[in-house]
Amino acid sequence: GGFLGGGGGVLPQLYFMESTGLLALISTGHYLEARARRSAGAAIGELLRLTPAVAELVDEKGEMREVPVAMVGVGDRVLVRPGGRIPIDGVVVEGRSSVDESMLTGESVPVVRTVGDQVIGGTVNSDGRLVVRVSRVGGETALAGIVKLVERAQAAKPPVQQLADRISAVFVPTVLGIALVTGVGWYLVGMSQHWAAAVMWGRLANAVCSVLIIACPCALGLALPAAIMVGTGRGAKRGILIRDIDAIQMAERVTTVVFDKTGTVTQGRPTVVGVVGSKGVSEEEVLRLAAGAEQFSEHPLAKAIVAAARERGVEVGMPENFVNDAGYGVVAEMEGRTILVGNRELLEKHGVAVLEEGGTQTRVYVAAKEGLLGQVLLVDQVKADSAVAIARLRGMGMRSVLLTGDNRATAELIGKEVGIAEVHADVRPAEKVRVIRELQKNSSSSVAMVGDGVNDAPALAAAELGIAIGSGSDVAKETGGIVLVSGSLAGVVTAILLSRATMRCIRQNLFFAFLYNVLAIPLAACGVLNPLVAAAAMALSDVTVLGNALRLRRAKID
């Protein structure tokens, strides 16, 4: 503090202890902040550590040698021993084993992988020996793609962050103005009270410095990034990838969830249960033409038809021309004829009349220009957890809608099985968008669309929130704001709960950040706080915000 010299002169106040303490407190605050930031971003580090450093390469002679994973190329074969971690993405060429994919998909039950099945780098081979042919390496692997999505989401700014940025842009000059007014005020008070110059300037500097230190907007700048970093990281570990950061804010508002049927509510692996030929056309001929026309289609029904033909030893021809009519079927040139394979509407578009038929099986019609050749009957089992997930959404006050291009009888049967009363059947891709628009227009709620196919992409884009099934088409995944790696509908519930928890954390962080400033700035301006206490409060506000964000790692989202 200040003191009088022997000659009666007044020496200026000295702040040796305060300056040292200020530096120590600010450094301590930065240290704690850095630690909390590392904890908040730990999810990416954990994902990166899933890939082993070495792989056991199997050469053409069957000899094995360990090499760095970076040296493994597409087409190479690697051995994965029981208990080992799969180093790359590939296809199983030898062996059979259970693979634990929980670190990427969030599914706790291991899945059986055998010859022809795809495996993902970073997953764990549980009990069998596998030889895997490498299909993707480096930045092309599924794990690398997940890490890129998480990093991109964490770096993006949602609308609420933009609001905070605008507030900060006003807040900083306002604080500088308060500091200026504080300095002038203390100067005028000192002059009116006839304080000694050292006392006046000491109190003036004390108050101004305290205002500037306490008003440092670090906590405000950390409020959102910290919560988003933890939230997206936790989602990635549960198989929920946030592609578009706005999806977090949108998911919180969703009250209507629209589901596609095939591959979303159902397993997407339909099986052929019957083939019916028209008069004079054999079942084998119907299946042969259908499989030949469908063999380049990505639709689950097409894959099932091709698989059935191969299982029955039916020789499948090669189409000379192939056109996919999304939502209807395919048109192919085979053996000099135009072959139509799809739903009733496809045939009617090409002038082939088909009578309306009942039944709960999915019917794929096969026709030529001269008329109907036959039908392929398929069934698709409902996913084991679909009914549970939809029941949980209903318990959360959500409205569920089933939206499918399949026939009404099949759609209503599936809807009844999973607990969805509102069913829209025989809906084409363009009409799906119309249904989404009507749901948005007829209610004040936000609509989420959950789908997996190319024909779902327009509806995914039209909804406020698009949720794509990770096992579906690339087009659907590129359109969805959220991607469910596992394909389980339980991920829809988890994504909504995670978004609610993240947005709640963001609001709490903004509240804490502003609370410190609102309470402390007046105290600092009045000279109640010295710079040392102000520095401690500023550091505490940063740590409080980051600590609150870290609570998201324990938030209940199951």
Side-chain angles (χ1 to χ4, degrees):
F3 60 91
L4 294 176
V10 180
L11 296 179
Q13 290 182 308
L14 302 177
Y15 288 91
F16 293 123
M17 182 183 72
E18 284 81 354
S19 59
T20 304
L22 183 61
L23 291 173
L25 277 171
I26 290 176
S27 298
T28 302
H30 284 314
Y31 168 73
L32 294 174
E33 179 184 322
R35 284 194 58 182
R37 278 178 178 269
R38 284 197 298 271
S39 297
I44 289 181
E46 291 178 23
L47 287 172
L48 290 171
R49 286 192 292 272
L50 292 178
T51 303
V54 296
E56 202 164 353
L57 204 62
V58 182
D59 62 20
E60 295 178 357
K61 298 178 181 179
E63 297 179 354
M64 293 169 288
R65 59 190 177 93
E66 282 194 351
V67 299
V69 169
M71 293 181 61
V72 177
V74 174
D76 288 344
R77 295 190 305 160
V78 297
L79 173 67
V80 186
R81 300 179 185 273
R85 200 174 287 276
I86 297 171
I88 37 64
D89 293 3
V91 178
V92 178
V93 293
E94 291 181 28
R96 175 186 173 90
S97 180
S98 296
V99 177
D100 180 1
E101 299 181 347
S102 59
M103 66 287 297
L104 292 179
T105 66
E107 294 294 316
S108 59
V109 180
V111 291
V112 176
R113 298 299 184 209
T114 187
V115 176
D117 291 337
Q118 292 187 344
V119 290
I120 303 171
T123 56
V124 177
N125 177 25
S126 298
D127 48 30
R129 173 185 177 276
L130 295 176
V131 176
V132 178
R133 186 177 301 280
V134 179
S135 60
R136 289 181 294 191
V137 296
E140 300 300 318
T141 63
L143 181 59
I146 289 171
V147 170
K148 288 176 184 175
L149 283 177
V150 175
E151 288 178 334
R152 187 173 69 184
Q154 291 180 348
K157 292 183 179 181
V160 68
Q161 173 71 65
Q162 296 165 10
L163 173 62
D165 290 345
R166 288 196 297 270
I167 293 172
S168 295
V170 176
F171 177 76
V172 172
T174 300
V175 168
L176 291 175
I178 292 173
L180 178 61
V181 171
T182 298
V184 172
W186 278 104
Y187 177 80
L188 295 176
V189 169
M191 294 295 290
S192 64
Q193 298 294 324
H194 304 292
W195 288 346
V199 174
M200 181 179 69
W201 289 110
R203 293 191 179 185
L204 185 153
N206 183 81
V208 171
C209 287
S210 296
V211 168
L212 294 175
I213 291 170
I214 199 67
C216 176
C218 296
L220 186 59
L222 290 171
L224 276 78
I228 289 170
M229 191 177 293
V230 178
T232 54
R234 187 172 182 196
K237 291 177 67 177
R238 301 297 299 272
I240 300 167
L241 303 184
I242 312 294
R243 294 188 65 256
D244 181 359
I245 201 62
D246 290 358
I248 292 179
Q249 202 163 339
M250 285 299 178
E252 181 200 30
R253 303 172 183 171
V254 166
T255 55
T256 300
V257 184
V258 180
F259 295 94
D260 170 52
K261 181 182 74 67
T262 304
T264 302
V265 173
T266 64
Q267 294 177 356
R269 294 191 297 271
T271 55
V272 174
V273 295
V275 181
V276 179
S278 297
K279 187 176 181 179
V281 183
S282 68
E283 294 180 7
E284 181 177 333
E285 177 71 2
V286 172
L287 188 58
R288 183 180 73 83
L289 292 172
E294 292 272 34
Q295 62 184 297
F296 297 123
S297 174
E298 289 295 313
H299 197 282
L301 295 178
K303 292 180 179 179
I305 291 171
V306 173
R310 289 173 178 165
E311 288 172 6
R312 301 183 189 190
V314 175
E315 185 178 346
V316 178
M318 185 69 66
E320 299 167 10
N321 196 7
F322 169 87
V323 177
N324 180 55
D325 194 346
Y328 294 91
V330 300
V331 180
E333 297 293 330
M334 293 184 63
E335 302 169 0
R337 293 195 295 175
T338 300
I339 302 299
L340 310 172
V341 183
N343 54 28
R344 182 167 51 86
E345 288 79 2
L346 174 70
L347 272 62
E348 291 175 349
K349 281 174 63 177
H350 290 267
V352 179
V354 181
L355 295 175
E356 183 71 41
E357 299 187 58
T360 58
Q361 296 162 330
T362 299
R363 295 175 182 269
V364 174
Y365 296 96
V366 184
K369 287 294 185 181
E370 60 268 22
L372 183 67
L373 300 176
Q375 306 170 36
V376 181
L377 309 179
L378 305 97
V379 294
D380 188 8
Q381 299 297 320
V382 170
K383 290 179 181 177
D385 62 350
S386 291
V388 175
I390 290 166
R392 290 194 63 193
L393 289 173
R394 187 165 55 249
M396 294 162 58
M398 298 281 182
R399 171 189 180 190
S400 295
V401 178
L402 187 63
L403 189 61
T404 177
D406 212 338
N407 66 76
R408 177 156 293 279
T410 301
E412 289 182 346
L413 179 67
I414 297 296
K416 183 177 180 180
E417 188 173 347
V418 299
I420 298 178
E422 188 174 347
V423 176
H424 297 264
D426 296 312
V427 181
R428 307 283 77 78
E431 294 173 346
K432 286 185 176 182
V433 174
R434 177 184 56 77
V435 173
I436 295 291
R437 298 294 189 208
E438 288 178 356
L439 290 171
Q440 293 168 330
K441 182 173 61 177
N442 296 335
S443 68
S444 58
S445 65
S446 293
V447 176
M449 173 69 194
V450 187
D452 74 315
V454 174
N455 59 339
D456 297 319
L460 288 168
E464 280 89 353
L465 174 66
I467 302 178
I469 301 298
S471 57
S473 70
D474 290 340
V475 174
K477 286 183 280 189
E478 286 300 316
T479 309
I482 294 177
V483 178
L484 306 181
V485 176
S486 69
S488 168
L489 291 192
V492 177
V493 179
T494 304
I496 291 173
L497 292 176
L498 178 63
S499 70
R500 289 180 177 179
T502 303
M503 291 304 298
R504 185 165 58 247
C505 179
I506 286 173
R507 293 189 185 98
Q508 291 168 350
N509 280 356
L510 289 173
F511 171 77
F512 287 135
F514 281 114
L515 181 66
Y516 274 99
N517 289 314
V518 169
L519 295 180
I521 289 178
L523 295 176
C526 294
V528 176
L529 301 180
N530 65 34
L532 198 61
V533 177
M538 184 267 290
L540 182 61
S541 68
D542 293 352
V543 175
T544 300
V545 164
L546 287 165
N548 187 55
L550 291 175
R551 289 174 58 245
L552 269 176
R553 298 196 298 187
R554 298 185 300 276
K556 185 174 177 58
I557 58 173
D558 295 318

